[in-house]
Amino acid sequence: MSDKTMTAEEVVSRLESGMTLGIGGWGSRRKPMALVRALLRSRITDLTVVSYGGPDVGMLAASGRIRKLVAAFVTLDSIPLEPHYRAARERGAFELMEVDEAMFLAGLRAASHRLPFLPMRAGLGSDVMRVNPGLRTVTSPYEDGETFVAMPALRLDAALVHVNRADRLGNGQYLGPDPYFDDLFCEAAEAAYVSCEQVVDTAELTKAAPPQSLLLKRHTVTGVVETPNGAHFTSCAPDYGRDEAFQKRYATTPWPEFEARFLGGDEQAYRAAVGEES
Amino acid sequence: MSEAVAAREVTRAEYCVIACAEAWRDAGEILASPMGLIPSVGARLARRTFAPDLLLTDGEALLVGLDGTVEGWLPYRAHLDLVTTGRRHVMMGASQIDRFGNQNISCIGAWERPKRQLLGVRGAPVNTLNNPTSYWVPRHSRRVFVEKVDMVCGVGYDRAAGARFHRIPRVVSDLGVFDFATPDHSMRLASLHPGVTVEEVRDATAFELTVPDEVPETRAPSAHELRLIREVIDPANSRAREVGS
């Protein structure tokens, strides 16, 4: 079986401008930030980003890489409003497909099921229908005759996710309380890249954790990247919590200054710069 | 009511807690999803008193009992699915709310290029079409209680078109409690917190509010409830930071 381990740079070399890119995690939780930082070091741009948005969206928006965003929210959790996303929206920097959290989930599910849409009540009556004029409704063929929103599949060219452990084959494991939607991102994507805190032997995965923690299956994973602290500054329970002090620094520092200070070099340089801060 | 407490001894924040708690009275065995501090204190008070079967989360992925004992697992995906079962009553915030209960937490100004970007629609559309959704507004003003919201996130009665599971039981603010018990489901003043006048509420509301001839006062907490709020649920008095006296 093939060894899928690669570097973050190799992942980025497989991505292209104009792609639709799904990013796992949720808000400021278990985001594949090392992969996002690698993306920021590249010249890839014009992306359609699909994300339960956090600082991944904020950073890509601040550096002008997003052509279109698909999201239900963008937040830093402990800081409710993502300042760089906000600024980008207020200057009209990109197109937005704003949908409800459950609609977003249905879109991922539809894509993973290879369906064109899934019906749901969410969205009806709300301005989600107004700001997404392409959204259609569908009527039940049964006696009830009820009308639903037909949430279109959110198909992805590539997915980026971060988990606690993975083996070299692409079996990925989360050890915190919430899987978020990382398996669905991988299933909805043509290619999925998983960064992890630690690459371990397959047999190690279930030594201390139950098989239910094996969230990602290798047939849905294209590449595995070992990136210790790779979700920093978002949380990656139980390996580490959110770096609140650093997140605050991110949120209050003008973007060009933050970029110059922390994103000028590679991941090692990032870690060193963060280390100097604390 | 031997346990009745004199109104002057109770803070405004404590009336707000009671008014929020009442949203879950007789709710049965459903999930209470309070967003914001005072609704959280309210839900915990309801769970400890008149709504003992409520389910509560730790704010993350776990269902927990009053002592923190984990009794279930509710990661985001399961939470979103639970919403569609209807067995939940959420109390959300509102950056804007209008006469028919349309709510906005997405942005202020034109959506295409907002004057002020806020959170986004989040789960407001799925919530309002699937389970009872109440609202909590810590500072009642014309900027929040608007004629027309800039982006409809939570669906109001005039736009719900009789959706099967749409219901907005109450809106609680620092001034009073509001509901939609009018023929056209427009907002009505249901009770005033002690010390608040009808004029004060009208001045702070940008749309025409239905005001009954007799407006009751929001009920006072019992001595037992007050003890629970002050000594057990919120001993640090965080509630006073959300609503001053």
Side-chain angles (χ1 to χ4, degrees), chain A residues 26 29 52 72-75 77 80-81 85-86 89-92 96-103 105 109 120-128 130-131 144 146 174 177-184 215, chain B residues 59-62 73-78 80-81 84 102 106-107 110-127 129-130 148-156 159-160 164-165:
Chain A
W26 170 287
R29 301 161 196 233
Y52 283 109
F73 59 80
V74 181
T75 180
D77 293 302
L81 304 182
Y85 165 72
R86 242 186 87 185
R89 267 284 281 156
E90 290 168 11
R91 64 174 184 266
L96 177 64
M97 179 182 183
E98 183 169 357
V99 294
D100 167 273
E101 290 169 18
M103 294 175 76
L105 169 57
R109 279 186 177 143
M120 58 190 320
R121 294 195 171 85
L124 292 172
S126 79
D127 272 339
V128 165
R130 171 174 67 90
V131 302
D144 57 275
E146 199 175 337
Y174 78 109
D178 201 317
Y180 309 122
F181 303 88
D182 292 353
D183 50 340
L184 289 170
L215 182 66
Chain B
E60 306 276 334
L62 302 175
W73 184 47
L74 197 70
Y76 285 126
R77 67 176 68 190
L80 289 173
D81 287 340
T84 62
N102 294 293
S106 171
C107 63
W111 177 87
E112 289 71 19
R113 187 161 174 182
K115 199 159 73 188
R116 189 171 156 76
Q117 175 65 41
L118 304 174
L119 284 170
V121 294
R122 295 220 68 147
V126 72
N127 288 343
L129 265 278
N130 287 278
K148 190 177 183 307
V149 304
D150 293 337
M151 168 86 179
V152 176
C153 304
V155 178
R159 298 174 57 115
R164 289 173 70 187
F165 307 118

Side-chain angles (χ1 to χ4, degrees), chain A residues 21-33 36 48-60 66 68-77 80 82 85 96-110 120 122 151-152 154 156 159-161 178-186 188 234-235 242 247, chain B residues 75-81 83 119-126:
Chain A
L21 196 60
I23 304 180
W26 170 287
S28 189
R29 301 161 196 233
R30 222 179 67 232
K31 284 285 175 179
M33 296 303 286
V36 170
T48 294
V49 173
V50 179
S51 175
Y52 283 109
D56 53 330
V57 170
M59 286 183 166
L60 291 168
I66 303 180
K68 180 181 174 183
L69 176 70
V70 180
F73 59 80
V74 181
T75 180
L76 296 173
D77 293 302
E82 216 295 347
Y85 165 72
L96 177 64
M97 179 182 183
E98 183 169 357
V99 294
D100 167 273
E101 290 169 18
M103 294 175 76
F104 188 107
L105 169 57
L108 287 181
R109 279 186 177 143
M120 58 190 320
M151 177 61 199
L154 294 172
L156 311 171
L160 306 178
V161 305
D178 201 317
Y180 309 122
F181 303 88
D182 292 353
D183 50 340
L184 289 170
F185 277 98
C186 293
T234 69
S235 63
R242 186 179 303 127
Q247 172 161 289
Chain B
Y76 285 126
R77 67 176 68 190
H79 202 144
L80 289 173
D81 287 340
V83 171
L119 284 170
V121 294
R122 295 220 68 147
V126 72

Side-chain angles (χ1 to χ4, degrees), chain A residues 3-217:
Chain A
D3 184 329
K4 293 174 187 164
T5 53
M6 57 178 71
T7 64
E9 280 62 35
E10 281 176 89
V11 170
V12 171
S13 74
R14 290 161 178 247
L15 305 178
E16 287 168 27
S17 292
M19 274 188 166
T20 297
L21 196 60
I23 304 180
W26 170 287
S28 189
R29 301 161 196 233
R30 222 179 67 232
K31 284 285 175 179
M33 296 303 286
L35 297 182
V36 170
R37 286 187 283 269
L39 195 53
L40 289 171
R41 289 194 292 273
S42 78
R43 308 184 105 170
I44 290 170
T45 189
D46 204 30
L47 294 167
T48 294
V49 173
V50 179
S51 175
Y52 283 109
D56 53 330
V57 170
M59 286 183 166
L60 291 168
S63 63
R65 310 303 179 95
I66 303 180
R67 182 182 67 74
K68 180 181 174 183
L69 176 70
V70 180
F73 59 80
V74 181
T75 180
L76 296 173
D77 293 302
S78 52
I79 301 171
L81 304 182
E82 216 295 347
H84 302 302
Y85 165 72
R86 242 186 87 185
R89 267 284 281 156
E90 290 168 11
R91 64 174 184 266
F94 50 78
E95 193 187 328
L96 177 64
M97 179 182 183
E98 183 169 357
V99 294
D100 167 273
E101 290 169 18
M103 294 175 76
F104 188 107
L105 169 57
L108 287 181
R109 279 186 177 143
S112 77
H113 295 180
R114 300 184 296 175
L115 288 169
F117 70 88
L118 277 172
M120 58 190 320
R121 294 195 171 85
L124 292 172
S126 79
D127 272 339
V128 165
M129 305 306 284
R130 171 174 67 90
V131 302
N132 295 290
L135 278 179
R136 296 286 178 264
T137 57
V138 62
T139 304
S140 166
Y142 299 106
E143 303 82 76
D144 57 275
E146 199 175 337
T147 296
F148 301 97
V149 173
M151 177 61 199
L154 294 172
R155 292 198 186 83
L156 311 171
D157 293 313
L160 306 178
V161 305
H162 183 81
V163 294
N164 302 90
R165 306 282 180 271
D167 66 13
R168 297 176 161 275
L169 307 175
N171 295 304
Q173 178 176 50
Y174 78 109
L175 297 172
D178 201 317
Y180 309 122
F181 303 88
D182 292 353
D183 50 340
L184 289 170
F185 277 98
C186 293
E187 290 166 15
E190 285 297 315
Y193 301 97
V194 180
S195 61
C196 63
E197 291 300 308
Q198 201 185 343
V199 171
V200 298
D201 288 336
T202 307
E204 285 296 313
L205 291 168
T206 45
K207 270 200 178 142
Q212 304 93 290
S213 62
L214 294 170
L215 182 66
L216 312 178
K217 291 150 192 66

Side-chain angles (χ1 to χ4, degrees), chain B residues 167-182:
Chain B
R167 192 157 71 86
I168 309 174
R170 63 172 54 199
V171 177
V172 180
S173 81
D174 59 332
L175 300 184
V177 179
F178 307 84
D179 62 21
F180 299 89
T182 50

Side-chain angles (χ1 to χ4, degrees), chain B:
Chain B
M1 288 291 285
S2 59
E3 279 210 337
V5 175
R8 60 186 159 71
E9 296 171 13
V10 180
T11 67
R12 180 69 57 80
E14 286 157 353
Y15 277 102
C16 292
V17 166
I18 288 293
C20 289
E22 285 289 343
W24 288 286
R25 184 180 284 277
D26 302 323
E29 203 157 19
I30 63 155
L31 178 70
S33 286
M35 302 192 180
L37 180 90
I38 283 186
S40 295
V41 177
R44 273 151 189 78
L45 180 68
R47 168 77 174 77
R48 284 182 181 274
T49 53
F50 49 76
D53 293 332
L54 285 178
L55 287 86
L56 292 167
T57 75
D58 64 347
E60 306 276 334
L62 302 175
L63 291 167
V64 292
L66 291 173
D67 61 356
T69 301
V70 176
E71 62 166 335
W73 184 47
L74 197 70
Y76 285 126
R77 67 176 68 190
H79 202 144
L80 289 173
D81 287 340
L82 187 149
V83 171
T84 62
T85 71
R87 298 197 59 80
R88 174 180 185 254
H89 183 160
V90 59
M91 185 174 276
M92 300 187 77
S95 303
Q96 295 178 324
I97 190 162
D98 73 15
R99 188 163 170 255
F100 291 100
N102 294 293
Q103 168 253 29
N104 176 21
I105 47 171
S106 171
C107 63
I108 301 298
W111 177 87
E112 289 71 19
R113 187 161 174 182
K115 199 159 73 188
R116 189 171 156 76
Q117 175 65 41
L118 304 174
L119 284 170
V121 294
R122 295 220 68 147
V126 72
N127 288 343
T128 45
L129 265 278
N130 287 278
N131 59 208
T133 303
S134 292
Y135 295 104
W136 158 243
V137 178
R139 267 190 298 274
H140 194 128
S141 77
R142 285 174 169 263
R143 289 173 56 158
V144 180
F145 287 74
V146 294
E147 189 66 47
K148 190 177 183 307
V149 304
D150 293 337
M151 168 86 179
V152 176
C153 304
V155 178
Y157 280 98
D158 60 335
R159 298 174 57 115
R164 289 173 70 187
F165 307 118
H166 175 268
R167 192 157 71 86
I168 309 174
R170 63 172 54 199
V171 177
V172 180
S173 81
D174 59 332
L175 300 184
V177 179
F178 307 84
D179 62 21
F180 299 89
T182 50
D184 64 350
H185 288 299
S186 59
M187 201 185 287
R188 180 188 80 134
L189 177 58
S191 74
L192 286 166
H193 303 328
V196 180
T197 63
V198 168
E199 288 63 42
E200 211 177 317
V201 173
R202 279 201 168 118
D203 285 348
T205 305
F207 55 81
E208 200 188 317
L209 197 61
T210 297
V211 179
D213 295 340
E214 294 282 319
V215 183
E217 277 196 349
T218 305
R219 81 164 175 91
S222 69
H224 175 60
E225 288 170 332
L226 210 50
R227 259 199 313 277
L228 285 173
I229 296 168
R230 291 178 179 178
E231 292 167 26
V232 179
I233 305 171
D234 184 29
N237 197 18
S238 307
R239 61 194 178 279
R241 286 201 297 273
E242 198 160 278
V243 173
S245 45

